[in-house]
């Protein structure tokens, strides 16, 4: 099996934690980024002691660019074993009644259409190899909905369904697809929300709704991703692993 991983959104809070975790387990990690080349470069230097780390620019809005980035990396590295999708829009938390068409288009275009483009570019590679897996970072909000999270939850529901469709249709070619659904995580967008979005009292109420009584870390999400990407999960496909400390129970 090709021991190369590609992480879309590798410059983000969750994506960078995933790259750090995969670096210990995979030979090569492609750190996909859109705008933060400096972040991707610094991360490549940091994890470079554990794997070959390569920053790869990949804008999900550019269909041709997605194909070029993924096919180019696969050719140079000698295949792709796991494609991790952790890219997402930096949203606010408006209620549905306040969301206009432009905001809907942005999340659907970047997240759902972006994932569709990544799948389109990656499936031929996995088919040729007769092996490979997708792991997508989605959200617990598509399972237990916290008001204000529609811009995140709606495209994630589509990504999850596409993951299940891939699992069912492509399994006969040795291809798996799974999802990790984080709850409230103190990394990336979640860390910004924890700092700026609501008062301390509101976050304390939210924390008390979590069975484990604490917010998660980026590495706790990354560990679930690494497991699903690994050979240990070789008989698991089409599944969503919720990593939320029991928030959605
Ligand atoms: N953090 C949480 O608590 C949490 C919880 C549940 C679900 N999630 C979901 O997990 C995903 C990642 O979240 P995060 O917290 O890591 O967010 P983040 O820190 O804001 O990172 C977002 C990542 O997506 C990339 N990106 C944005 N637009 C892109 C585009 N058009 N093309 C390619 N890449 C693009 C960014 O690249 P650049 O920075 O290089 O532009 C960055 O690497 C999101 O979908 C989010 O909704 C997060």
């Amino acid at each position: 099996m090709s021991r190369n991983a590609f992480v879309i959104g590798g410059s983000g809070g969750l994506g960078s934690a995933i790259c750090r975790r995969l670096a210990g387990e995979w030979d090569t990690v492609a750190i996909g980024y859109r705008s933060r080349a400096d972040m991707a470069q610094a991360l490549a230097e940091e994890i470079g002691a554990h794997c070959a780390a390569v920053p790869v620019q990949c804008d999900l809005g550019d269909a041709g660019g997605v194909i070029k980035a993924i096919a180019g990396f696969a050719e140079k590295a000698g295949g792709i074993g796991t494609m991790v999708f952790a890219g997402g829009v930096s949203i606010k938390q408006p209620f549905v009644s306040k969301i206009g068409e432009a905001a809907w288009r942005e999340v659907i275009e970047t997240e759902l259409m972006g994932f569709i483009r990544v799948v389109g570019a990656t499936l031929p590679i996995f088919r040729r190899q007769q092996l490979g897996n997708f792991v997508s970072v989605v959200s617990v909000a598509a399972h237990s909905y916290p008001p204000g999270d529609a811009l995140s939850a709606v495209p994630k529901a589509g990504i999850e369904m596409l993951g299940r469709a891939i699992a069912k249709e492509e399994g006969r070619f040795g291809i798996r697809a799974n999802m990790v659904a984080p709850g409230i995580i103190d990394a990336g967008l979640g860390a910004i929300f924890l700092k700026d979005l609501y008062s301390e009292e509101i976050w304390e109420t939210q924390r008390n709704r979590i069975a484990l009584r604490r917010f998660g870390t980026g590495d706790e999400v990354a560990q679930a991703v690494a497991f699903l990407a690994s050979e240990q999960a070789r008989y698991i496909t089409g599944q969503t692993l919720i990593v939320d400390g029991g928030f959605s129970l």
Side-chain angles (χ1 to χ4, degrees), residues 112-214:
L112 182 53
M113 285 308 299
F115 183 55
I116 288 169
R117 292 179 183 123
V118 167
V119 168
T122 310
L123 262 186
I125 297 166
F126 285 176
R127 283 264 192 119
R128 271 199 302 279
Q129 299 173 165
Q130 293 281 294
L131 205 65
N133 69 73
F134 295 94
V135 184
S136 303
V137 176
V138 288
S139 174
V140 74
H143 298 260
S144 175
Y145 181 71
D149 217 26
L151 282 175
S152 174
V154 170
K156 303 301 194 303
I159 292 171
E160 273 199 80
M161 188 56 237
L162 180 52
R164 287 198 289 274
I166 295 166
K168 194 86 175 184
E169 292 180 3
E170 301 294 319
R172 66 207 156 117
F173 303 113
I175 297 167
R176 298 187 294 114
N178 289 293
M179 285 64 68
V180 169
I184 307 171
I185 308 296
D186 192 359
L189 201 51
I192 294 172
F193 284 178
L194 285 169
K195 199 165 142 283
D196 298 334
L197 192 65
Y198 301 123
S199 66
E200 267 180 40
E201 294 72 43
I202 291 180
W203 282 121
E204 190 55 15
T205 308
Q206 289 293 72
R207 197 177 62 77
N208 281 318
R209 291 200 176 120
I210 301 171
L212 296 177
R213 295 294 193 275
R214 65 176 179 82

Side-chain angles (χ1 to χ4, degrees), residues 46 48 82 107 120 129 166:
E46 180 194 327
T82 186
V107 293
Q129 299 173 165
I166 295 166

Side-chain angles (χ1 to χ4, degrees), residues 8-15 32-37 58-61 86-90 110-111 137-140 152 156 182-191:
I8 299 280
S11 52
L14 297 185
Y33 67 94
R34 175 196 50 176
S35 56
R36 287 184 286 177
C58 179
D59 186 339
L60 292 163
V89 177
S90 186
T110 303
E111 299 189 0
V137 176
V138 288
S139 174
V140 74
S152 174
K156 303 301 194 303
I184 307 171
I185 308 296
D186 192 359
L189 201 51

